[in-house]
Amino acid sequence: MIKKKRNNGLNVPETGRIGTVSNRAAGDEADDSRTPGGSVRVLDRAVSVLGFLAESRRQVGITEIADATDLSKATVHRILSTLRDYSIVIRDDGGLYQMGPSVLFWADAYQKKAGLCEIARPWLRALWEEALETVHLFIFEGGEAYYLDKLDSPHPVGMRSHIGARRDLYSTSAGRSILAALPRADLDAFFEKTELLPRTPNTVTDRKELEKILAVGRERGFCEEVEENEVGIRCVGAAILDLRGYPVGAVSISAPAYRFSDSQSRALGEKLRDTVLAISRELGYRG
């Protein structure tokens, strides 16, 4: 259980360093109020700060965080001070912040609760040993796909992906495999709420064309994408299904496009299809 650290003199707010509050701070002070959607505003802001810290993957200062989140420096300072009390963030002697050790508590709890990592890991290892390229495990929750596990390529050139990062569904092979496995109503709902923006010059952004790609993937049991989510990277992915046949995640193989030919992609796609079927069977799928 994470407990708040007692104030030992090290965590006293340094309001004197913040300077004057910017104009945008006028609307920042009612932190306990709710947004029209019902969420608590201060929590929304804290999540924005944590999201920026997680994406940065480096030490950052209050001014940079404030600029990135469109919050006042006073509000950012107040949020960081509270997060420091719980070791959710830590600060160095120069006043720069980064994610703290307490986040591991929630990360570990989530992975254990999901159970997917434990079940999938032996299968991912076997797949990695055959492919010798980066293998990703995704989890699909709340209409979003996130990296849950990763086995890095043994080659010098690999993927820059990070556990916990969200991935677009329409421009990635894993995401497409999830979309292809969704019930028709859920797929229609996805297209209605999602703007298909180009991630690279190659990204398919036309719904009809993408629907054809999903149909092919549905028939083959795996989906592909060539430099549509990241220039220079090619991927093949297949969805993991639960006992209802609903997608709960996916597995993908990613590699630099120059060493991932059409024939390799198809062959590994078929191997991948068999792998995710085995994982799905362990989750109770019988289709």
Side-chain angles (χ1 to χ4, degrees), residues 248-267:
V248 294
V251 177
S252 74
I253 301 171
S254 304
Y258 70 82
R259 66 168 184 246
F260 205 2
S261 66
D262 289 348
S263 59
Q264 287 174 308
S265 180
R266 301 295 191 279

Side-chain angles (χ1 to χ4, degrees), residues 184 187-194 196 207 210-211 214:
R184 185 72 242 182
L187 182 59
D188 288 339
F190 167 81
F191 280 120
E192 287 171 9
K193 71 178 183 181
T194 305
L196 305 180
R207 174 174 175 174
L210 186 55
E211 291 251 32
L214 297 181

Side-chain angles (χ1 to χ4, degrees), residues 166-274:
R166 185 182 66 84
R167 292 288 81 184
D168 288 324
L169 296 177
Y170 65 90
S171 60
T172 61
S173 63
R176 287 176 176 177
S177 70
I178 290 170
L179 291 178
L182 286 176
R184 185 72 242 182
D186 289 4
L187 182 59
D188 288 339
F190 167 81
F191 280 120
E192 287 171 9
K193 71 178 183 181
T194 305
E195 186 177 5
L196 305 180
L197 299 173
R199 297 277 300 169
T200 76
N202 301 314
T203 308
V204 172
T205 57
D206 178 76
R207 174 174 175 174
K208 289 184 178 180
E209 186 176 351
L210 186 55
E211 291 251 32
K212 292 178 182 177
I213 292 172
L214 297 181
V216 171
R218 199 175 293 120
E219 183 177 349
R220 294 191 307 190
F222 62 90
C223 291
E224 298 177 279
E225 63 92 355
V226 183
E227 300 187 76
E228 292 188 56
N229 192 68
E230 185 177 345
V231 173
I233 299 297
R234 179 171 187 164
C235 306
V236 59
I240 300 170
L241 308 178
D242 65 11
L243 74 170
R244 304 167 298 161
Y246 194 86
V248 294
V251 177
S252 74
I253 301 171
S254 304
Y258 70 82
R259 66 168 184 246
F260 205 2
S261 66
D262 289 348
S263 59
Q264 287 174 308
S265 180
R266 301 295 191 279
L268 287 176
E270 292 174 2
K271 177 64 177 178
L272 183 57
R273 178 186 61 207
D274 296 339

Side-chain angles (χ1 to χ4, degrees), residues 3 8 20 37 59 76 96 104 117 140 147 161 166 178 193 227 233 277 281:
K3 296 181 179 179
N8 57 8
T20 58
Q59 295 175 312
V76 170
L96 298 179
L104 298 174
C117 271
F140 180 59
Y147 289 120
S161 51
R166 185 182 66 84
I178 290 170
K193 71 178 183 181
E227 300 187 76
I233 299 297
L277 179 58
R281 296 282 193 220

Side-chain angles (χ1 to χ4, degrees), residues 12-270:
V12 177
E14 300 173 318
T15 53
R17 293 189 182 182
I18 300 302
T20 58
V21 177
S22 65
N23 291 334
R24 59 186 169 184
D28 285 351
E29 305 312 317
D31 283 339
D32 59 346
S33 61
R34 291 181 177 271
T35 67
S39 60
V40 179
R41 184 170 282 110
V42 68
L43 293 180
D44 287 340
R45 290 169 176 163
V47 169
S48 295
V49 169
L50 289 171
F52 177 70
L53 286 172
E55 286 185 2
S56 298
R57 305 183 72 82
R58 57 185 172 83
Q59 295 175 312
V60 293
I62 285 178
T63 298
E64 186 177 355
I65 297 170
D67 289 341
T69 58
D70 200 29
L71 297 173
S72 71
K73 290 190 285 186
T75 295
V76 170
H77 180 269
R78 197 161 58 247
I79 289 170
L80 290 172
S81 294
T82 300
L83 295 176
R84 281 185 68 207
D85 287 341
Y86 294 92
S87 297
I88 298 171
V89 302
I90 56 177
R91 189 187 69 182
D92 68 8
D93 293 338
L96 298 179
Y97 292 83
Q98 67 182 61
M99 299 297 288
S102 287
V103 298
L104 298 174
F105 176 80
W106 287 293
D108 181 63
Y110 178 74
Q111 289 199 352
K112 286 181 178 177
K113 179 179 181 297
L116 196 53
C117 271
E118 270 185 62
I119 293 172
R121 204 69 196 281
W123 298 102
L124 299 185
R125 173 61 63 176
L127 185 65
W128 179 87
E129 288 175 353
E130 181 164 340
L132 294 178
E133 296 292 355
T134 301
V135 175
H136 288 114
L137 172 66
F138 296 80
I139 192 161
F140 180 59
E141 283 194 349
E144 304 283 2
Y146 303 87
Y147 289 120
L148 187 62
D149 201 2
K150 176 185 180 183
L151 298 179
D152 281 304
S153 166
H155 301 291
V157 179
M159 293 284 293
R160 298 171 295 177
S161 51
H162 306 298
I163 303 302
R166 185 182 66 84
R167 292 288 81 184
D168 288 324
L169 296 177
Y170 65 90
S171 60
T172 61
S173 63
R176 287 176 176 177
S177 70
I178 290 170
L179 291 178
L182 286 176
R184 185 72 242 182
D186 289 4
L187 182 59
D188 288 339
F190 167 81
F191 280 120
E192 287 171 9
K193 71 178 183 181
T194 305
E195 186 177 5
L196 305 180
L197 299 173
R199 297 277 300 169
T200 76
N202 301 314
T203 308
V204 172
T205 57
D206 178 76
R207 174 174 175 174
K208 289 184 178 180
E209 186 176 351
L210 186 55
E211 291 251 32
K212 292 178 182 177
I213 292 172
L214 297 181
V216 171
R218 199 175 293 120
E219 183 177 349
R220 294 191 307 190
F222 62 90
C223 291
E224 298 177 279
E225 63 92 355
V226 183
E227 300 187 76
E228 292 188 56
N229 192 68
E230 185 177 345
V231 173
I233 299 297
R234 179 171 187 164
C235 306
V236 59
I240 300 170
L241 308 178
D242 65 11
L243 74 170
R244 304 167 298 161
Y246 194 86
V248 294
V251 177
S252 74
I253 301 171
S254 304
Y258 70 82
R259 66 168 184 246
F260 205 2
S261 66
D262 289 348
S263 59
Q264 287 174 308
S265 180
R266 301 295 191 279
L268 287 176
E270 292 174 2

